[in-house]
Structure formats: C-alpha cells, structure tokens
Amino acid sequence: MSTSTPRPPVSRDPAINEMVQIAADAAVPTVWDRYKAQHPQCKFGTQGVCCRLCHMGPCRITPKAKLGICGADADTIAARNLLREIAAGTAAHSDHGRTLVNTLKLVAHGKGGKYRIADSFRLREAAGLFGIDTAERDDLAIAGELADFFMAQFAWSEEANATLKLAPAKRQELWKKLGIEPRGVDSSVVEILHRTHMGVDHDYRHLIMGGLKCSLADGWVGSAIATVVSDILFGTPKPIRSKVNLGVLAADQVNIIVHGHEPTLSEMLAVAAHDEELVAYARSKGAAGINVAGICCTANEVLMRHGLPIAGNFLQQELAILTGAVEMMIIDVQCVMPSLAQVARCFHTKLVSTSEIAASVDAEQITFDVAEGYEHAVRLIRAAIDNFAHRDSGRVNIPQHAMELVAGFSNETIFHMLGGRFRSTFRPLNDAIIDGRIRGVCGIIGCSNPKVMADDGHVRLAEELIKRNVLVLETGCAAIACAKAGLLVPEAAIAKAGETLREVCEAVGIPPILHMGSCVDNSRILLAATNVLLEGGLGEDLSDLPVAGAAPEWMSEKAVAIGHYFVASGIYVVLGHPLYVEGSENVTKLLCEEMEGITGGRFEWEPDPVLAADKILAHIEKKRDALRINVKKERKLFDMKERRELQ
Ligand code: XCC
Ligand code: SF4
C-alpha cells in the first residue's frame, strides 16, 4: 500500500477522516475526490437558470441573454427546474410508500410469505381514522381494505387526498383556499411534469404554488402512508439502544450492510441473522457470528425496530466498503452512490442490488420478492458467509469509533412517555412550551453533503438549539450525524441542554434530541406538531406554533420536496445552502420572504449553525409573542393556580 500525503479533515467525525486517508493511501477515489474534480461547479446550474426542457435549447440566462430561445426568463426557468426537483422527491418517497402498501396487500391476501401484521393496534387506529370498519373484523380483512384505500391515494381523484385530513382543520382550509390540495400522488407528479413541459406554465408564482401542491402529496400522503404502513407491518418504534459509526463493523464476524430506504427485505435480514443454522454456518467458516448493520435510512428503519447498529450516514457508504471488512452490501433504492461498484471492485465486498427498479453495473441483481422475503434473506446471508473466506485480513481497517445511541421516538411513544402510564397525552409538552421551559421545537433533517464539513452542520445546530432550550426532533442522516457525535444518548444530550429543557427531559425521561426515524418519517414530525396543536393552548394552525425546520447539509431532491411541504404546512425552514433558484430574484424573494404571507412558512438559507440557531430562536420568540405566552411571571403563577383549581 502506497502512502499518500495527509488529507485535510472533511468531517468532524474522526472515523470519516481516518477512512478518507486510508482511501487516499490505497488510491481509491471517494466522493470528496470527485467533488474536487468537479470544481468549479457550473454556475448556471447552481443559480437554476440553465434550461434544457426542449431541444431548441439548452438555454442559459446571462446578462447578455436574458431570455431563453422560447422567451422564458430566469423566473420561469428557475421555478420550473425547482418544480421538477420537488416532483422527483415526491415520487421517490411515495413510490417507497407504494411498495409498502403492496406488501400490506399481499399479507392481507395470504401471499406475504413470512410478513405479518406486527402492530394490530396501529392497523385498527389507521383504519378507524379513514372510516374503515374495524368492529368484529380480523386484522387481515381490515388490512386488505386499508391497503386498497391507501393504494387509491396514488391515483387521480376528484376529491382531495383523504390523508390530508391528518392535518389541522385550519391548515386544510388554507390549502383549499390556495388551491393546493393534491388529488392523488401520481397525478400530482404527472401534473408537475406537464406544467413544466416546454410551453405550458410560465408564471413563476403559479408554478411555485403548483410545487407546494405536489410537495403536500409527499409529506401528507406518500410519506405519511409509508410511515404508517411500516409501523403496521414491522411494528411502531419504541425507544431502543444501539450503536453507531464504522466501529460497529466486527473484525471477527461476517459483516452485512443494508443500504437505501425500503425496509422490507432488511426486516427479514434482521430476523434471519439470528437463525441458529446460519450462525452455525458462519462459525463453520471461521467467523464469530453474523453482523448486520445499516447505512442511510434503511439503517434507521431497522435500528428503530430491531436495534441493529448503524455503520454510518450517506457520506460513509464508500468508506464502509473501504474498511475491507464488509462481505456484502445489500442496496435497495435512493441515496446509493453509483461509485459503490467501483469501490467494491477493489475489495472482496459483494454488492447486491435488490430492487427491480434499481440496478448497478457490476452489482449482482437479486430482485426481491415479498412472498419469498425470508428465503431471499437466508440465501443472501449464506452468500455473504461464503464470501468471508475471501476477506484479506491485511487490508482490514475498521476505525475504532462507535457511539451509543437511543432511537425510536414515534408519536405514540412520545405520547405515552409524556403522559405517564395512566393518561397518555401531549399536555406536559404543551405546558412546558407555554410556560417557556421549552422555548419551541425544531426538526433537524436531511442528508450530508461533501460541500460541507460532514456532520458539522447537524451537530453544531443541534447543540446550539438544545443549549437554548429548544427541543430537537431528528430523522435521516441528520439523526445519524448527531448520534455519532454522542448527542443521542440521553445523559450526554441532557448535559448539553439548557437548564429548563434539561429539567423537562429528566422529569419525563426523554433526551432533548429525539430520533424519529427515516426520511419518510418526517411525516412523524408533522404529526407531532399537529398533536401539540390539538392538545391546545398554542394556537389553531401549524403556523401559530413556535416551531421550525432545518436541513443544514441537505443534498437530495427528496430534501427539496420535504422543505416545500414544511413550508406549505406553515413552517419556517432554514437550509444550510440555497436551493438552485438564486438566478431569479423573484423566485428567491417569493420563497424566502413573500411566502410567509401566503402559507405562514418560508425558506431561509444560513450556512453558519450559530446564526441559523439565532434565526430559528428569533422565529420561535416571534411566534411565542403572537401567542401571548411570553408573559411575565405573575401571569404564569396565576395560570398554575388556575389549573390547580380546575383539578
Ligand atoms: Fe438520503 Fe434518507 Fe438524505 Fe440521508 S437524509 S442522504 S435523502 S438517506 Ni433523508
Ligand atoms: Fe430554451 Fe425555452 Fe427550450 Fe428551455 S424551453 S431549452 S428556455 S427554448
């Protein structure tokens, strides 16, 4: 192995920096090398003013050429490009949801192999919510009808999507008034593709409102369905301890990594990894056991339900293979870098692609089938065990960094934890917000991105917010970043929280940063906000709440869709770097200023975590003032007395 010059740090995570050096020494390029090779990045792209929507073009807007060949200006072009990103993000989350609904349907009809209804309570609750009869019916009958109901949410309908009614009534009215209620997930995506086709929708305001509509089909429909069906099939998450970072890979075990987003196959892998015969088979090949760990959101899903360890977030996928200790990486959909095949080629790692819509050149394609899910899992694990013999122990470099974490905070759990054993309720949380011990709530979500010192944006923002007594909810790669930094262990996090937030967390037994799941589980964050609202005392609409959202290191189109459905839901969203719209002053102004007067939410870009925290706090205090809960002590005492009298 040749040794190259020392690499400057690319992350606050030492495991990443160590592996980047190892990659350089082994002359295996990684995402950071390719990022450098792409410099300088195209300015027209970053500004959103490159259009290739028709073949008169491509056109780009410059000071000399202010219009495309068809006459489209920067506003139209930037808005259209943004809309297509929203549509792609919505499609990705929602198609993931559809796959799960299909699994639910197969289970209901006895064709689901070893899959079961894991959470009958959640099934009946969801069915009840959507007017499906549950009395004296067995789970499978209900599941069949619920699956059909959910499936129908994808197609176009005259009615607005039924799952929108999960949102507060006032918000639903506003969507109706603004004409942005989606009427089907697929049709919303199709509509965006249509209206952004050459020569259709040209008014940037009209376009952006269309984008919000599509994003709602993501957050309140496709993603919401993905979350609830995952809970029904695999169980509603409960707090669970596990470990995170590349150090979870075991030098003496067969290491299998699951990577992507859809949890169906990984559920079976999690179960099959305990199969005694397979464990014995692994031992017969000289391994001490079978270690299944995850990357990205598949990781979050199996972490929350099985406590499986997480090997890392988005930017660690290549590094996991570079440890030389991974026998097999099983990929499904989304956030899987095409470079994995290139890295795997340099090691013994077998790359297996399991989704019928996702193939990788040089990866083995074993398309997953629900009815045979368990058998697939067994076959894959066997193949991984067989591959253990090919591991070159001289090339094994597992960074010794692994952190404890607690994850699995579904709404249901928070509800029970807050209310105690006898009366589940969000009341204690609302009271704490009202009397100011908790200033507000912020969701930190999204990816990691080589443009940013990896994990630094997530960790510093989270620390800054809990220090200022803001409760933080996390999902996706943001949650993994904070977990690696030791922030998802209640003790450590509580040590970093402000005094009053700490008191509340200790009294209730929750950490100040709650890991709520995968990217589709941002729907859980929307529902948490809705629950707080329904509990009372904090206004009537989501836009009244002292809450915010942030994506400090985002990169995917899914993150673009998420940002928009938060904004469409009335929430203030701070991005660590701008959307590709800055080539249009009008679109930027609409998204970052005027939108507040339309939906109550808006975007802000702020790369500096401390300044981002300042802005989030300013927003939260503005909302608290409007709610008149920022009042003097006397009033607070009176409130408490009043409450005692009521009891
Ligand atoms: Fe992908 Fe969900 Fe982003 Fe991570 S955070 S890089 S989308 S895995 Ni959603
Ligand atoms: Fe150029 Fe208009 Fe065609 Fe876009 S749609 S490529 S701006 S001519």
Side-chain angles (χ1 to χ4, degrees):
M1 192 186 290
S2 68
T3 306
S4 62
T5 44
R7 289 293 176 111
V10 293
S11 174
R12 71 176 292 128
D13 173 8
I16 293 185
N17 295 328
E18 284 170 27
M19 289 313 299
V20 166
Q21 187 61 50
I22 285 167
D25 293 347
V28 178
T30 65
V31 64
W32 289 277
D33 300 301
R34 294 186 301 270
Y35 173 61
K36 234 171 147 187
Q38 280 295 333
H39 264 77
Q41 287 181 299
C42 170
K43 256 182 111 181
F44 300 105
T46 3
Q47 301 267 302
V49 291
C50 166
C51 182
R52 45 177 296 268
L53 292 181
C54 91
H55 287 245
M56 294 190 282
C59 304
R60 59 228 202 295
I61 302 304
T62 66
K64 264 202 311 202
K66 291 200 162 61
L67 297 175
I69 295 167
C70 66
D73 60 12
D75 299 342
T76 306
I77 292 176
R80 284 196 303 210
N81 289 339
L82 180 67
L83 255 63
R84 287 197 164 206
E85 290 192 64
I86 296 173
T90 301
H93 283 144
S94 301
D95 215 30
H96 163 177
R98 188 206 319 267
T99 309
L100 290 163
V101 175
N102 189 41
T103 305
L104 182 65
K105 191 165 175 169
L106 289 170
V107 169
H109 295 293
K111 294 176 189 159
K114 281 212 167 38
Y115 292 95
R116 298 276 175 275
I117 304 293
D119 194 335
S120 167
F121 181 82
R122 190 97 159 98
L123 168 75
R124 285 166 187 272
E125 182 193 58
L129 223 82
F130 299 113
I132 293 168
D133 190 15
T134 56
E136 287 170 47
R137 287 178 87 191
D138 68 25
D139 280 357
L140 293 186
I142 300 170
E145 198 177 333
L146 186 65
D148 287 338
F149 167 80
F150 281 152
M151 216 41 123
Q153 296 302 309
F154 288 88
W156 179 84
S157 149
E158 280 177 17
E159 307 286 324
N161 272 116
T163 53
L164 296 180
K165 75 172 195 198
L166 294 170
K170 238 186 140 180
R171 188 54 32 184
Q172 294 177 52
E173 280 165 35
L174 179 67
W175 291 335
K176 188 178 221 141
K177 205 180 102 202
L178 294 172
I180 59 169
E181 294 169 307
R183 293 157 190 272
V185 177
D186 298 354
S187 54
S188 296
V189 173
V190 169
E191 183 188 298
I192 293 276
L193 291 179
H194 180 190
R195 65 202 283 175
T196 58
H197 184 277
M198 189 272 152
V200 185
D201 199 358
H202 299 143
D203 176 342
Y204 74 94
R205 292 177 173 278
H206 194 243
L207 280 160
I208 296 293
M209 294 313 284
L212 293 184
K213 174 174 160 187
C214 182
S215 76
L216 289 173
D218 179 351
W220 292 94
V221 192
S223 286
I225 290 174
T227 294
V228 70
V229 177
S230 298
D231 286 356
I232 291 169
L233 284 171
F234 313 131
T236 304
K238 295 185 188 74
I240 191 164
R241 268 188 189 261
S242 189
K243 285 200 162 159
V244 61
N245 215 343
L246 291 167
V248 306
L249 297 173
D252 58 351
Q253 296 191 39
V254 173
N255 292 305
I256 300 173
I257 294 220
V258 289
H259 172 24
H261 282 77
E262 282 174 9
T264 324
L265 171 59
S266 13
E267 273 291 316
M268 286 302 162
L269 285 163
V271 178
H274 295 296
D275 183 301
E276 276 174 30
E277 249 176 64
L278 286 175
V279 175
Y281 186 58
R283 294 217 175 97
S284 77
K285 300 281 174 174
I290 306 162
N291 182 34
V292 181
I295 287 192
C296 281
C297 282
T298 298
N300 284 323
E301 302 273 3
V302 282
L303 159 74
M304 289 195 301
R305 299 195 177 89
H306 297 278
L308 287 194
I310 294 195
N313 49 2
F314 177 66
L315 289 177
Q316 286 174 288
Q317 52 189 290
E318 298 169 301
L319 307 183
I321 298 179
L322 270 149
T323 63
V326 175
E327 274 55 57
M328 182 179 281
M329 184 180 273
I330 300 169
I331 52 182
D332 52 87
V333 289
Q334 300 166 23
C335 305
V336 175
M337 287 190 200
S339 65
L340 290 181
Q342 298 146 22
V343 182
R345 220 180 283 144
C346 310
F347 292 87
H348 75 302
T349 308
K350 255 183 190 257
L351 191 63
V352 180
S353 180
T354 57
S355 163
E356 76 175 304
I357 63 159
S360 236
V361 178
D362 278 357
E364 197 175 336
Q365 181 74 29
I366 302 183
T367 302
F368 165 72
D369 165 57
V370 173
E372 298 211 14
Y374 189 77
E375 291 71 18
H376 273 294
V378 169
R379 247 176 282 148
L380 287 169
I381 293 177
R382 274 188 164 271
I385 295 170
D386 288 335
N387 197 25
F388 185 69
H390 301 127
R391 188 193 286 185
D392 177 352
S393 56
R395 292 183 74 200
V396 170
N397 282 297
I398 302 173
Q400 294 307 302
H401 300 281
M403 191 57 82
E404 300 259 328
L405 84 156
V406 178
F409 292 92
S410 56
N411 269 281
E412 293 66 19
T413 333
I414 301 174
F415 195 62
H416 291 307
M417 294 190 85
L418 284 170
R421 272 182 68 190
F422 300 108
R423 192 173 148 262
S424 293
T425 166
F426 271 74
R427 197 69 243 164
L429 177 58
N430 281 45
D431 285 344
I433 296 174
I434 290 168
D435 67 28
R437 282 171 296 152
I438 294 179
R439 304 311 297 174
V441 181
C442 184
I444 304 182
I445 65 132
C447 328
S448 29
N449 187 326
K451 288 179 176 171
V452 185
M453 176 69 79
D455 300 341
D456 199 53
H458 295 304
V459 172
R460 283 173 62 206
L461 180 61
E463 286 185 341
E464 204 57 46
L465 287 174
I466 61 171
K467 190 169 91 190
R468 303 186 200 187
N469 298 305
V470 173
L471 180 68
V472 171
L473 311 179
E474 292 193 330
T475 60
C477 291
I480 301 176
C482 289
K484 286 190 290 169
L487 287 181
L488 296 198
V489 200
E491 312 77 38
I494 285 173
K496 299 204 170 195
E499 198 186 322
T500 52
L501 173 63
R502 186 174 62 229
E503 279 167 21
V504 176
C505 290
E506 277 171 343
V508 177
I510 52 169
I513 302 177
L514 305 180
H515 186 326
M516 295 191 81
S518 64
C519 306
V520 292
D521 290 335
N522 286 318
S523 64
R524 294 190 205 274
I525 297 185
L526 293 177
L527 286 184
T530 305
N531 283 328
V532 165
L533 204 65
L534 293 177
E535 187 62 49
L538 287 166
E540 288 170 31
D541 196 355
L542 295 170
S543 52
D544 297 334
L545 292 171
V547 302
E553 305 180 30
W554 70 280
M555 63 86 199
S556 77
E557 291 173 312
K558 291 179 286 169
V560 177
I562 295 166
H564 281 82
Y565 70 64
F566 270 81
V567 167
S569 302
I571 293 167
Y572 171 66
V573 173
V574 182
L575 301 181
H577 40 265
L579 295 161
Y580 292 150
V581 294
E582 288 187 312
S584 161
E585 260 175 51
N586 282 331
V587 171
T588 308
K589 194 164 170 222
L590 175 58
L591 293 171
C592 298
E593 293 172 34
E594 295 162 9
M595 195 50 80
E596 191 157 16
I598 303 171
T599 67
R602 71 177 174 94
F603 280 105
E604 175 104 63
W605 350 121
E606 179 49 68
D608 183 296
V610 177
L611 296 182
D614 287 347
K615 288 174 176 173
I616 288 166
L617 260 297
H619 175 81
I620 283 175
E621 295 304 332
K622 182 176 93 178
K623 293 293 172 189
R624 297 182 58 89
D625 286 340
L627 286 166
R628 300 168 180 279
I629 52 176
N630 273 348
V631 284
K632 305 163 261 32
K633 273 269 156 53
E634 303 91 79
R635 172 73 191 282
K636 196 170 100 183
L637 290 171
F638 180 67
D639 268 359
M640 283 169 65
K641 187 164 155 259
E642 225 178 21
R643 230 173 288 140
R644 223 174 293 126
E645 276 165 8
L646 276 175
Q647 283 170 359

